[in-house]
Amino acid sequence: MARSSMQKKKILLVMKELLEKTDESHPLSMTDLIFMLSNNGISAERKSIYHDIEVLRDFGIDIENKREKPAGYYVASRDFELPELKLLVDAVQCTRFITKKKSEELIKKLENLASKSEAAQLQRQVFVVNRNKTKNENIYYNVDKIHTAISENAKVRFQYYEWTVAKEMRLRREGMFYEISPWALTWDDENYYMIGYDQVSQVVKHYRVDKMVKLEVMKRSREGKELFARFDLASYSQKIFGMFGGEEEEIRLVCKNELAGVMIDRFGKEVCLHPVSEASFAVTIRVNVSQQFFGWLFALGDKVRIEGPVWVIQQFKERMRAVQECYK
């Protein structure tokens, strides 16, 4: 190999070695670097390696020379600090819509952003969490296609499946394709949802991205622009419980004071809490009335009571009676 090519390779090897193996607790001495280069067939003097390190510093790599033991050169700062990488690993692990295989691939890539010793700490975290993951390997590509459709103002078409009692995937609507105008992507209850406009029923609908198959971007323009011009995604997410739809209604609840935090966490700090006694307050909310909403209320027990409208109270009573019947 020509001398100039050897020199170019030398500085790249020094950079790679420092990035991959060093941190403040694991520096490399000049002897270590000379030995590494020798193993790669390159003979180098200390002076030339000093020069390489200066070039790398000018390039923007933060290389420090630690004098106390363990002494040597190390990369002092990186694009991501170790606590930040741990946070990202936790996020990948906790996210159900990312498959186990994709989670492992992502974490491997995150490990490359740290030194080998720090990467070992990230790898140990992988085995801490054992959460249920989606089986749909196309999730990554679905999300990317939906983003593409939104940016290109295009509709999408896809098949949508559900699980059977036999734990088998069954396509809804006998495999007929859905054609939807996508306007937003959102997370809810550890799942990814596409929110879009269904021209056939002329309503806003949401679909779990991991349950979509054969998703493709269409050459037809999106519909529902006027509706989504005034669409509030945060408000929509507050009204939908567990991403199950239902008739939207304004509901008045009377709650024990201890539920103030529950209401604020669910509906935001802007929600109005009106004291009705020393021990309770009233709150008026807009929600989509569904079985999931009733389940949320039921979990709060006798600390909350529906004040109106009457038809919602009646439905809640009927739901409770139906549950009681199951235990007779």
Side-chain angles (χ1 to χ4, degrees):
M1 187 182 293
R3 181 175 175 81
S4 60
S5 297
M6 294 286 284
Q7 288 304 308
K8 290 176 182 177
K9 183 180 179 182
K10 179 165 71 72
I11 191 170
L12 291 174
L13 286 170
V14 170
M15 179 178 71
K16 184 173 182 288
E17 191 80 352
L18 290 170
L19 286 172
E20 286 186 355
K21 295 186 178 179
T22 70
D23 53 55
E24 188 172 4
S25 301
H26 303 85
L28 289 174
S29 67
M30 186 59 64
T31 302
D32 294 328
L33 292 172
I34 292 172
F35 183 73
M36 177 275 297
L37 290 170
S38 176
N39 284 341
N40 283 275
I42 299 174
S43 177
E45 298 179 352
R46 288 174 176 264
K47 186 176 180 180
S48 69
I49 299 177
Y50 289 140
H51 178 263
D52 290 340
I53 290 174
E54 287 304 315
V55 171
L56 292 173
R57 283 170 173 164
D58 291 340
F59 184 66
I61 301 176
D62 184 12
I63 301 171
E64 295 286 347
N65 185 9
K66 188 178 178 184
R67 303 295 183 180
E68 65 273 14
K69 292 185 178 181
Y73 293 91
Y74 69 96
V75 176
S77 62
R78 301 170 184 266
D79 290 339
F80 290 92
E81 296 179 5
L82 183 59
E84 293 171 332
L85 290 174
K86 287 181 177 179
L87 184 64
L88 291 174
V89 167
D90 283 343
V92 170
Q93 275 293 346
C94 292
T95 305
R96 286 172 54 184
F97 75 80
I98 304 178
T99 64
K100 184 175 183 294
K101 178 183 175 183
K102 284 294 182 183
S103 295
E104 291 171 352
E105 291 175 0
L106 266 177
I107 291 167
K108 275 292 180 187
K109 291 177 181 179
L110 289 172
E111 288 175 9
N112 291 334
L113 300 174
S115 67
K116 285 190 175 180
S117 60
E118 291 177 336
Q121 296 184 49
L122 297 178
Q123 189 60 39
R124 281 198 293 272
Q125 282 197 213
V126 176
F127 302 103
V128 173
V129 187
N130 183 23
R131 288 182 170 84
N132 184 33
K133 291 279 194 177
T134 181
K135 304 298 182 184
N136 187 352
E137 286 289 341
N138 292 321
I139 180 70
Y140 263 14
Y141 310 105
N142 286 350
V143 170
D144 185 57
K145 288 176 182 177
I146 293 169
H147 277 301
T148 298
I150 292 172
S151 65
E152 295 181 356
N153 194 38
K155 295 180 71 172
V156 295
R157 71 192 299 262
F158 55 90
Q159 291 175 307
Y160 202 60
Y161 75 80
E162 61 188 353
W163 289 104
T164 67
V165 176
K167 298 182 181 178
E168 296 175 342
M169 291 166 51
R170 177 177 63 198
L171 292 175
R172 288 188 176 183
R173 301 195 337 190
E174 297 182 345
M176 287 180 59
F177 277 84
Y178 293 67
E179 292 188 4
I180 303 295
S181 299
W183 287 92
L185 281 163
T186 186
W187 262 343
D188 187 88
D189 193 26
E190 298 189 59
N191 290 307
Y192 224 150
Y193 290 86
M194 180 190 79
I195 298 175
Y197 182 71
D198 184 346
Q199 176 62 26
V200 176
S201 57
Q202 298 187 341
V203 296
V204 175
K205 292 186 177 180
H206 47 263
Y207 302 87
R208 264 180 58 174
V209 178
D210 61 300
K211 290 188 175 183
M212 297 176 178
V213 291
K214 296 184 179 178
L215 175 71
E216 57 186 64
V217 180
M218 303 177 69
K219 294 183 179 180
R220 297 169 56 186
S221 297
R222 288 185 300 175
E223 296 150 330
K225 181 178 180 180
E226 297 79 11
L227 189 154
F228 277 89
R230 57 182 184 277
F231 184 76
D232 186 338
L233 179 59
S235 175
Y236 179 80
S237 299
Q238 286 177 350
K239 296 171 188 174
I240 303 292
F241 281 75
M243 295 307 286
F244 282 83
E247 184 175 345
E248 186 175 330
E249 184 60 88
E250 188 173 88
I251 297 175
R252 178 179 166 88
L253 303 175
V254 173
C255 313
K256 297 287 181 64
N257 286 344
E258 60 201 84
L259 292 186
V262 173
M263 295 299 156
I264 291 171
D265 287 344
R266 175 71 211 194
F267 301 103
K269 290 184 70 176
E270 297 76 19
V271 68
C272 294
L273 311 181
H274 304 285
V276 294
S277 71
E278 289 186 2
S280 62
F281 64 89
V283 59
T284 300
I285 55 175
R286 291 199 69 85
V287 300
N288 285 48
V289 180
S290 65
Q291 301 301 333
Q292 284 64 37
F293 169 61
F294 289 152
W296 178 75
L297 282 178
F298 192 79
L300 299 176
D302 60 358
K303 296 172 184 173
V304 60
R305 183 179 76 255
I306 304 173
E307 285 272 292
V310 174
W311 75 267
V312 177
I313 297 173
Q314 194 61 37
Q315 277 203 9
F316 190 44
K317 287 181 177 179
E318 289 172 4
R319 183 60 183 164
M320 288 192 289
R321 279 195 292 268
V323 172
Q324 284 181 315
E325 285 295 321
C326 293
Y327 292 92
K328 283 189 177 180

